[in-house]
Amino acid sequence: MKRDNRTREVNPSSIKENLIKRYSAKVGKKRAKQIVINNPKSSPGQEIGANVRTVPGIITQRGCTYAGCKGVVLGPTRDILNLTHGPIGCGFYSWLTRRNQTRPENESDPNFMPYCFTTDMQDENIIFGGEKKLRQAVEEAYAIFKPKAIGIFATCPVGLIGDDIHSVARDMSEKLGINVFGFSCEGYKGVSQSAGHHIANNQLFKHVIGKNPAAPGGKYKVALLGEYNIGGDAFVLEDMFRRCGMDLIATFSGNSTYDGFAGAHHADLNLVMCHRSINYVADMIEKKYGVPWIKVNFTGADATAKSLRKVAGYFESAELMSRVEKVIEEEMEKIRPVQEDVKRRTSGKTAMLFVGGSRAHHYQELFKEMGMKIVAAGYEFAHRDDYEGRDVLPTIRVDADSRNIEELVVKPDPEQYRPRKTPEDMERLAGAGVTFKNYEGMMPEMDEGTLIIDDINHFETEALIEKYKPDIFCAGIKEKYVIQKMGIPMKQLHSYDYGGPYAGFAGAVNFYRDVDRMIGSKVWKLLFPPWEKDEPIAAMFISQV
Amino acid sequence: MLLRHTPKEIKERSALTVNPAKTCQPVGAMYAALGIHRCLPHSHGSQGCCAYHRSALTRHYKEPVMATTSSFTEGSSVFGGQSNLLEAIGNIFTLYNPDVIAVHTTCLSETIGDDIVQIISKAREEGKIPAGKYVIHANTPSYIGSHVTGFANMVKGMARYFPEKKAARGGTVNVIAGWCEPSDTRELKRILSVMGIDGIVFPDTSDVLDTPLTGRYTMFPKGGVTVERLKMTANSTGTLALGTFASLPAATELDARFKVGYEALDMPYGIKATDRFLDALMRMSGRMVPVSIADERGRLVDMISDMEQYLYKRRVALFGDPDQLIPMAEFLADIGMRPVYAVTGTPGNYFEERMAGILGDIPEAKFKHGDMFLLHQWIKNEKVDLLIGNTYGKYIARDEDIPFLRFGFPILDRVGHSYFNSVGYTGAMRLLERILNSLMDRQDRDAGEESFELVM
């Protein structure tokens, strides 16, 4: 594929039209709602179809509920023994394949992350039920590993055969004297990983959060929600908070521990990074314990600075604000020269992002800092609020495929509910620009005429690349080599291509350098062998043979 | 320590598997289906399986791995997945236009009992399968066997759907390649061609999972065994089934239906298994082994004799799939090493029977259907000099400071397996080179300055 350096003139409407044309009428109608030409200024309040069932056979990027629950939310916690109840695959594929790093303080501290625990269900367990084997497996796990908590994760067949993992969990909890809890995260629930996030949130809230009554010390206590320490992101942020003088008492769930979860309700402010996966816990903690939450984004240097100022603003402390400003200034000083250098090569280049439920938005900050343009973006499994902003929440209809995901009814805790701010405080802060419990979504921040595609599939990806010829495409491992075969650099924004960290100030620099390297890589100039470059001569030669 | 919770003391476990030495059926079926030209594997289950299996294969090959899924919802899990599969078949042919859709199942569709044969015939009745196109299937319940079983089931599906009896035998020889790498089927085809044999090697992922980067993406690359060739398998002189676990079901299917006699052989890793493979080829085709291949064998023997002092009595632990472990253990024993521990997650008595035969004169040898946790515990009780297995072995290798050879599936952290073969004498030379490199790198690392050798 020949590529030129100019942004190509494309007409998103005709692209959309051509895509839809190729589908059957039924599929076309559905996809038409999930493909939007973004016009935040000329037609605000545009609606996108999202969180709806996947079209069979279309080659989706999506995974399942188990992946969202066990793989994403619980996977990064080192001292809960995660036991998959199912045949061997689910446990195997979620074994060390997400790069949630963890750093136990001592050599003797528990860390189960390099292990895969599973009941490895056999046909007789399907026929006669697997509860007995599950009980036995929990006993064996306890006898060998002595964990402080065990999580049990259901897979597809568990729901069908009617194994009651929750009663097993209750019994074993009593018998062993440790916290054992189950997650009904069968893969077929909901329409994507998203249902798994919700189920994980509910069970963590019911069984773990609030269990630790001892409040940790600290003046500016925050918890970070929806940060999974991919490639060490959370380490960067932990260090940053420390330098700012903030006390990070829990992270959901990068580099996290059971005790961190259990005491998370002692925070004075919750910071939500990945809105999709953890907004449920943020809301429930606010209702039960009175801890407000704000949306933050620590992806990108400017976004990080902005988020830090927001946090300091919330605490209304001049001391904290001045430390924050000092950290920002020190960091920006290091970042600017790199930015300037990189920009000479990246300015004006184009990118596309089709990632999960959060990064397709967050990473736009980093590209903008490099002078790059986002021409198309979308999520695998986000909901309308992640696209359009939380204002649309009341208008979202839960369809038949997601109706069975439990909604917990949460009330203020009679003893532990403690509003961190008075209504007057909140109003004053809102006036000063600290917006609570709000997320504006991806679409309003993207340019006019960009393409927003929900649950993009292979067919659409290929067409998009052919039309736009972006300078870089961001998605995951399944897309990576497809895109690269087309001669387009492809950045994995799930695994970071085994690099990173990309969060915070230090991470931003890593990202600039990686993207600069990828776009400028000499390999893209090696695609065509010399005998093909000289096409006319070769053709003449062959024609004369 | 990464695996800090693995104790030396071995407690009996009957229900808990820790760090499995296997994965589930469908990924094997997906891999096998990719070895058919212009085939799109299809996973009939909820979409998480398909995403996981594609990711696993992609990470192993650093290549696009295409497959579709029925994307079950809770509704279809209760009422059956027929409409999902019918819709998928329609969409797949409209959008992606493969010649073959190869459907496999998951624990979900197997537990609810979807009848794939019936659904496929309904799809045909409804005109969803264009003329000249195929939809084949294999039942691959994840709660039976392992990924190897799934591979075997899909290869059997090929032998079930495609072969067509012609009046005369075609003079071809079927070689069911077993679970091996694109580089390996490429080598098998080279050997057949050097011997002047018209061999039908299937499945064949060469030129599918090792494609060149040209700037042009093609969903269906030039490789894979064609439907035409698969049809001809009914008329071959005979079948060589490489790897009993992976290939025997397809071979017996061809024999039962078309009276194509077969010989079940080990995967030709190492010297003796390659000898037996060539011997069987000669008998089946009436062709001789040419000098060029005899020379390859001679070079391998030469290399073993040159370096045997570094190999003699070195203790090796292995884990992985039975078709790989059996000939690998034999090769290690042949070069003077002591394969003392072997674990496979794939059930089947044949593994233990064969290992007992191969390791009969190594009294301390232990081999078992088990998991990597058990293998690690054995190692903790008595150390080994070399560990051989897939990428997950790197955690044990690091903790116990053991030289480590990546072999088998999946290899997620190195390249080479898809490009450089392990089968045949040339493959054995490469395996031997890699074994020696790991051992000798370790010797160099550990040697005192006075005994650090220039020549080895």
Side-chain angles (χ1 to χ4, degrees):
Chain A
M1 187 181 287
K2 289 259 161 73
R3 293 166 53 217
D4 49 45
N5 290 327
R6 288 172 299 111
T7 307
R8 288 161 55 98
E9 288 304 317
V10 286
N11 177 346
S13 302
S14 77
I15 289 176
K16 176 174 175 178
E17 203 176 298
N18 285 326
L19 288 175
I20 303 300
K21 256 198 327 227
R22 280 287 307 277
Y23 292 117
S24 69
K26 183 184 158 197
V27 174
K29 199 172 152 208
K30 189 161 182 287
R31 291 303 302 155
K33 291 184 193 154
Q34 291 175 274
I35 304 175
V36 168
I37 296 135
N38 193 43
N39 286 315
K41 290 187 196 80
S42 53
S43 49
Q46 267 180 311
E47 191 175 322
I48 188 165
N51 192 31
V52 290
R53 67 169 65 167
T54 315
V55 176
I58 206 160
I59 311 193
T60 176
Q61 301 177 330
R62 284 176 170 178
C64 69
T65 307
Y66 167 87
C69 180
K70 194 270 183 184
V72 172
V73 181
L74 270 298
T77 304
R78 62 175 172 262
D79 56 358
I80 298 177
L81 189 150
N82 289 333
L83 173 62
T84 301
H85 185 39
I88 200 71
C90 309
F92 179 86
Y93 299 111
S94 56
W95 177 22
L96 291 165
T97 46
R98 289 178 64 81
R99 299 180 60 233
N100 314 110
Q101 300 187 358
T102 199
R103 193 181 278 157
E105 277 157 38
N106 300 297
E107 182 62 27
S108 58
D109 286 351
N111 177 14
F112 299 117
M113 285 172 61
Y115 291 90
C116 164
F117 305 97
T118 158
T119 54
D120 186 13
M121 286 175 101
Q122 299 297 302
D123 46 354
E124 66 264 23
N125 309 129
I126 301 293
I127 298 163
F128 302 111
E131 285 183 29
K132 205 175 140 205
K133 190 175 194 185
L134 176 60
R135 266 169 223 274
Q136 178 65 24
V138 172
E139 291 221 31
E140 289 172 7
Y142 183 72
I144 298 169
F145 300 98
K146 296 282 181 307
K148 61 173 74 171
I150 296 179
I152 299 168
F153 298 85
T155 59
C156 287
V158 171
L160 299 174
I161 63 172
D163 274 2
D164 185 351
I165 60 163
H166 303 288
S167 81
V168 172
R170 266 194 308 276
D171 294 353
M172 297 314 291
S173 203
E174 224 159 86
K175 184 167 180 191
L176 304 173
I178 59 164
N179 196 352
V180 185
F181 40 91
F183 298 83
S184 289
C185 53
E186 284 87 348
Y188 54 73
K189 291 202 168 155
V191 297
S192 67
Q193 290 93 312
S194 178
H197 302 149
H198 198 163
I199 291 163
N201 278 231
N202 287 350
Q203 297 305 87
L204 275 179
F205 189 74
K206 278 201 283 198
H207 296 283
V208 188
I209 295 168
K211 289 263 190 268
N212 182 2
K219 238 171 155 179
Y220 309 111
K221 280 185 286 194
V222 295
L224 186 55
L225 273 57
E227 160 49 58
Y228 301 102
N229 202 19
I230 305 290
D233 278 351
F235 296 147
V236 168
L237 301 181
E238 285 167 14
D239 181 58
M240 181 182 80
F241 286 124
R242 198 164 36 241
R243 285 171 58 207
C244 291
M246 299 172 190
D247 305 283
L248 180 64
I249 67 159
T251 302
F252 290 77
S253 39
N255 192 32
S256 64
T257 58
Y258 177 84
D259 290 342
F261 290 165
H265 60 303
H266 296 298
D268 290 321
L269 179 65
N270 279 330
L271 315 179
V272 172
M273 272 283 282
C274 171
H275 175 261
R276 184 66 267 137
S277 64
I278 208 82
N279 77 85
Y280 316 95
V281 153
D283 272 348
M284 292 189 287
I285 289 181
E286 176 160 23
K287 279 187 193 138
K288 187 167 177 181
Y289 302 102
V291 186
W293 67 266
I294 57 171
K295 176 77 180 72
V296 292
N297 179 15
F298 294 116
T299 313
D302 296 339
T304 301
K306 194 171 146 198
S307 292
L308 279 178
R309 288 184 179 120
K310 235 162 126 177
V311 179
Y314 166 83
F315 284 105
E316 299 183 280
S317 149
E319 173 214 11
L320 180 63
M321 190 58 94
S322 84
R323 279 186 76 163
V324 162
E325 290 297 348
K326 189 159 169 273
V327 169
I328 294 173
E329 197 185 306
E330 280 169 13
E331 291 294 334
M332 286 301 192
E333 216 164 286
K334 283 185 270 179
I335 286 172
R336 256 175 231 121
V338 184
Q339 243 179 21
E340 274 160 32
D341 171 49
V342 164
K343 254 184 163 168
R344 288 188 287 137
R345 293 172 296 275
T346 54
S347 260
K349 301 270 182 190
T350 58
M352 292 184 176
L353 300 89
F354 290 94
V355 198
S358 137
R359 293 191 180 138
H361 183 194
H362 288 166
Y363 275 75
Q364 298 194 14
E365 298 280 350
L366 279 162
F367 282 115
K368 281 180 205 156
E369 287 169 12
M370 303 170 75
M372 291 178 65
K373 262 180 71 173
I374 314 298
V375 289
Y379 299 119
E380 276 173 63
F381 50 73
H383 301 196
R384 279 183 53 208
D385 44 321
D386 304 288
Y387 284 104
E388 303 169 44
R390 276 177 77 96
D391 291 349
V392 304
L393 277 175
T395 69
I396 295 180
R397 239 173 356 99
V398 180
D399 71 10
D401 293 323
S402 300
R403 199 167 295 146
N404 290 343
I405 312 301
E406 188 186 15
E407 279 288 345
L408 297 185
V409 180
V410 182
K411 294 198 180 91
D413 186 280
E415 273 128 50
Q416 302 197 69
Y417 181 75
R418 185 168 59 82
R420 302 309 200 260
K421 298 272 179 188
T422 64
E424 298 80 58
D425 289 341
M426 296 290 269
E427 210 167 293
R428 187 180 61 250
L429 285 166
V434 185
T435 48
F436 292 95
K437 211 179 170 169
N438 189 36
Y439 175 39
E440 285 168 2
M442 175 168 87
M443 285 163 66
E445 278 195 38
M446 286 184 65
D447 289 347
E448 294 270 316
T450 50
L451 261 180
I452 315 284
I453 304 187
D454 179 64
D455 186 18
I456 198 173
N457 55 58
H458 171 75
F459 161 66
E460 291 164 6
T461 304
E462 219 182 312
L464 235 57
I465 287 179
E466 196 182 300
K467 295 281 184 266
Y468 283 94
K469 295 188 175 29
D471 293 294
I472 195 163
F473 190 98
C474 304
I477 185 71
K478 300 191 296 298
E479 295 75 41
K480 168 115 184 156
Y481 303 102
V482 175
I483 312 295
Q484 290 191 171
K485 292 284 184 206
M486 301 177 197
I488 306 281
M490 154 69 204
K491 180 76 203 149
Q492 292 187 68
L493 283 190
H494 297 274
S495 73
Y496 302 168
D497 294 310
Y498 326 107
Y502 290 149
F505 299 109
V509 171
N510 290 340
F511 192 78
Y512 304 152
R513 290 192 168 129
D514 282 355
V515 169
D516 179 34
R517 164 180 57 76
M518 291 179 76
I519 290 180
S521 171
K522 288 180 184 166
V523 70
W524 307 115
K525 298 192 176 71
L526 299 174
L527 249 54
F528 303 105
W531 56 89
E532 266 186 31
K533 279 182 192 156
D534 222 353
E535 276 164 355
I537 294 170
M540 257 161 53
F541 180 68
I542 289 164
S543 70
Q544 284 163 9
V545 170
Chain B
M1 299 287 261
L2 289 158
L3 300 167
R4 56 180 67 181
H5 300 284
T6 306
K8 200 170 159 183
E9 185 208 347
I10 299 172
K11 280 199 175 111
E12 191 61 38
R13 282 176 286 134
S14 64
L16 179 70
T17 292
V18 186
N19 300 355
K22 66 168 174 184
T23 180
C24 66
Q25 284 209 37
V27 73
M30 185 182 285
Y31 180 53
L34 290 165
I36 303 175
H37 182 58
R38 291 192 59 84
C39 175
L40 197 51
H42 180 84
S43 168
H44 186 54
S46 60
Q47 68 212 7
C49 312
C50 187
Y52 275 145
H53 299 141
R54 289 180 63 203
S55 299
L57 288 167
T58 302
R59 290 176 179 130
H60 179 82
Y61 287 111
K62 321 289 180 211
E63 286 285 312
V65 172
M66 280 301 165
T68 51
T69 161
S70 295
S71 294
F72 273 56
T73 57
E74 192 155 10
S76 29
S77 305
V78 177
F79 300 113
Q82 172 171 292
S83 65
N84 291 57
L85 184 49
L86 289 175
E87 193 186 344
I89 290 172
N91 288 334
I92 292 165
F93 281 124
T94 310
L95 285 178
Y96 299 117
N97 193 32
D99 287 351
V100 182
I101 297 174
V103 181
H104 61 260
T105 56
T106 67
C107 49
L108 176 56
S109 51
E110 287 293 328
T111 303
I112 64 178
D114 271 354
D115 182 348
I116 308 295
V117 174
Q118 178 266 323
I119 301 174
I120 293 174
S121 72
K122 195 168 165 61
R124 181 157 293 115
E125 279 163 31
E126 291 181 2
K128 288 199 156 69
I129 306 173
K133 304 278 181 178
Y134 299 82
V135 180
I136 69 168
H137 97 288
N139 291 97
T140 52
S142 317
Y143 43 76
I144 295 172
S146 75
H147 57 296
V148 182
T149 322
F151 181 93
N153 285 337
M154 183 51 82
V155 182
K156 185 182 171 181
M158 296 174 201
R160 176 178 163 183
Y161 276 92
F162 295 116
E164 281 176 10
K165 191 77 184 165
K166 293 262 164 57
R169 293 265 177 212
T172 50
V173 171
N174 301 330
V175 178
I176 305 178
W179 189 311
C180 61
E181 301 287 344
S183 48
D184 291 323
T185 47
R186 199 183 292 287
E187 173 66 2
L188 292 175
K189 289 191 290 188
R190 184 191 68 93
I191 292 171
L192 289 160
S193 122
V194 172
M195 288 179 71
I197 298 168
D198 187 5
I200 304 173
V201 177
F202 74 97
D204 176 10
T205 53
S206 62
D207 290 322
V208 179
L209 289 169
D210 56 357
T211 62
L213 178 55
T214 61
R216 289 173 292 270
Y217 170 73
T218 37
M219 192 159 184
F220 304 109
K222 68 180 175 192
V225 62
T226 61
V227 169
E228 279 314 301
R229 296 286 282 174
L230 282 171
K231 284 183 179 172
M232 288 163 63
T233 54
N235 307 296
S236 288
T237 315
T239 301
L240 294 185
L242 307 185
T244 307
F245 283 81
S247 301
L248 198 54
T252 52
E253 177 81 9
L254 281 170
D255 189 24
R257 293 181 57 213
F258 304 104
K259 301 219 168 4
V260 183
Y262 67 88
E263 259 187 72
L265 297 164
D266 291 321
M267 289 296 299
Y269 297 122
I271 187 158
K272 283 195 192 140
T274 304
D275 289 348
R276 292 193 294 271
F277 169 62
L278 292 171
D279 181 58
L281 267 182
M282 284 194 287
R283 280 185 282 104
M284 199 166 274
S285 66
R287 300 275 183 163
M288 293 303 291
V289 170
V291 175
S292 64
I293 291 184
D295 285 348
E296 286 165 17
R297 188 183 192 281
R299 282 194 287 272
L300 169 62
V301 176
D302 185 65
M303 191 174 160
I304 300 168
S305 78
D306 290 344
M307 305 308 272
E308 63 86 39
Q309 72 193 73
Y310 298 99
L311 303 164
Y312 185 62
K313 283 207 171 170
R314 305 297 289 272
R315 291 162 52 85
V316 191
L318 336 149
F319 66 94
D321 303 335
D323 289 341
Q324 277 65 41
L325 295 186
I326 291 166
M328 189 58 153
E330 184 187 45
F331 182 48
L332 295 171
D334 285 341
I335 60 177
M337 301 185 85
R338 290 174 93 77
V340 283
Y341 306 134
V343 157
T344 182
T346 300
N349 294 336
Y350 184 73
F351 171 70
E352 290 179 27
E353 282 165 27
R354 285 296 310 282
M355 292 302 263
I358 292 165
L359 305 178
D361 53 356
I362 303 176
E364 71 269 34
K366 293 184 197 188
F367 39 88
K368 212 179 152 177
H369 168 236
D371 55 29
M372 289 175 64
F373 186 74
L374 175 69
L375 181 76
H376 191 180
Q377 291 184 306
W378 284 348
I379 293 170
K380 277 191 180 287
N381 281 281
E382 198 175 347
K383 268 210 140 186
V384 293
D385 302 301
L386 180 68
L387 177 67
I388 300 180
N390 69 37
T391 284
Y392 283 95
K394 75 193 278 183
Y395 291 79
I396 299 176
R398 178 174 154 134
D399 274 2
E400 306 299 332
D401 197 21
I402 310 168
F404 176 43
L405 180 76
R406 285 165 181 82
F407 177 69
F409 175 83
I411 294 170
L412 309 171
D413 60 338
R414 295 291 189 274
V415 293
H417 44 281
S418 50
Y419 301 118
F420 306 106
N421 58 294
S422 300
V423 300
Y425 301 126
T426 57
M429 288 177 77
R430 174 170 172 261
L431 285 174
L432 182 56
E433 184 210 3
R434 293 172 63 218
I435 290 170
L436 284 163
N437 284 348
S438 355
L439 296 172
M440 294 163 94
D441 280 349
R442 179 55 54 98
Q443 183 178 326
D444 281 342
R445 191 196 81 178
D446 293 346
E449 291 190 358
E450 68 291 344
S451 54
F452 187 69
E453 299 294 338
L454 176 71
V455 184
M456 287 167 86

